Amino acid sequence: MRILLVEDDNALAAAVCSYLRAKAFVVDTAASLAEARAALAGAQYAAVLLDLHLGDGDGLSLLPALRRLAERPIVIVLTARDQVSDRIRGLDAGADDYLVKPYDPAELLARLRAVERRRSSSQSAVLRLGALEVDLSNDSVRLRGLPVLLTAKEWALLRVMASRPERIHTRESLQDALYGFDEETDSNTLEVFISRLRRKLGRERIQTLRGLGYRLVPADEREAG
């Protein structure tokens, strides 16, 4: 999952980024509304963590632009404003959730995982595709009941596909899930990680649809590409 953190407190932003990146999330940061708009123009995000009090305006003013995106991200407001009226205003403006500062990063992580379950149309944190089980809450994978060890990038890639297994994921969207703006990539990086996942999960688990992208499939389907 690629996340945009809009936060002008540099120390807090660094701490949140460090925590989420350790959990294999890709996180970009913006310290202002202007930086946030530039980031949104350049990448697709599954979630936006939005501070309200920014140097160049109210964070809620970003919500109309977020609602217009073809792939609308989930928005979690992060703010020191703890009045009920502020929460109502944020939710009415289109935010999906509201977390009051100071907050525990573990709670933020739990809410992001809830977002993933919501996107997958599943109330369970464990997604099952045949003998493959992906546990979004515990960051773990099992195949035929046995644990599968994945690197952070392999897990980030699998998690995106497993959270929405019914859809075809484009090359661009998967690439976005692997790297932030400050990370360098080469042209065949995605294919390398797809190949590694296939070796660990079975080649038939990831289907290639030429010219369209990739998707996870149950064990009883066969790869078309």
Side-chain angles (χ1 to χ4, degrees):
M1 176 189 283
R2 188 168 185 176
I3 297 168
L4 177 62
L5 172 62
V6 186
E7 172 61 68
D8 61 358
D9 183 326
N10 292 333
L12 177 58
V16 172
C17 282
S18 178
Y19 181 83
L20 292 178
R21 286 169 179 166
K23 300 295 183 180
F25 289 92
V26 174
V27 187
D28 294 326
T29 61
S32 67
L33 289 171
E35 289 182 14
R37 291 189 178 99
L40 290 165
Q44 180 178 309
Y45 294 96
V48 175
L49 309 180
L50 182 62
D51 186 26
L52 295 189
H53 187 64
L54 299 166
D56 56 348
D58 190 329
L60 292 183
S61 66
L62 191 63
L63 288 173
L66 294 174
R67 289 197 300 267
R68 289 193 295 269
L69 295 175
E71 288 285 338
R72 181 188 176 279
I74 296 294
V75 180
I76 300 178
V77 169
L78 308 174
T79 180
R81 301 176 187 175
D82 60 357
Q83 296 296 316
V84 172
S85 59
D86 289 323
R87 299 188 192 193
I88 292 172
R89 190 168 69 92
L91 295 171
D92 282 348
D96 298 282
D97 206 346
Y98 202 109
L99 198 55
V100 177
K101 300 177 184 178
Y103 54 85
D104 188 325
E107 182 180 1
L108 174 59
L109 178 62
R111 297 194 185 205
L112 284 169
R113 285 169 168 164
V115 165
E116 287 182 309
R117 292 197 297 274
R118 195 182 315 165
R119 281 178 167 262
S120 69
S121 301
S122 173
Q123 294 303 309
S124 173
V126 180
L127 303 171
R128 294 180 174 86
L129 290 170
L132 177 67
E133 295 185 358
V134 182
D135 190 333
L136 296 174
S137 290
N138 295 308
D139 298 346
S140 65
V141 182
R142 301 181 77 85
L143 181 63
R144 301 181 189 92
L146 299 176
V148 179
L149 298 180
L150 301 180
T151 67
K153 292 298 186 186
E154 290 166 356
W155 168 244
L157 182 60
L158 177 61
R159 183 172 57 197
V160 169
M161 289 191 288
S163 64
R164 302 188 75 176
E166 77 287 350
R167 73 177 299 172
I168 298 169
H169 298 270
T170 66
R171 188 180 191 283
E172 292 74 17
S173 68
L174 293 177
Q175 194 80 11
D176 275 351
L178 288 174
Y179 294 101
F181 286 128
D182 56 350
E183 297 178 90
E184 294 185 2
T185 65
D186 56 43
S187 59
N188 68 345
T189 298
L190 176 62
E191 285 70 22
V192 169
F193 286 117
I194 291 287
S195 178
R196 290 179 182 176
L197 281 177
R198 282 173 168 157
R199 285 201 301 270
K200 294 181 178 183
L201 305 179
R203 181 169 176 80
E204 75 281 359
R205 298 285 173 184
I206 301 177
Q207 181 183 38
T208 301
L209 293 111
R210 299 193 184 282
L212 298 175
Y214 302 90
R215 73 180 181 106
L216 283 178
V217 296
D220 59 349
E221 293 188 35
R222 290 295 179 264
E223 186 179 44

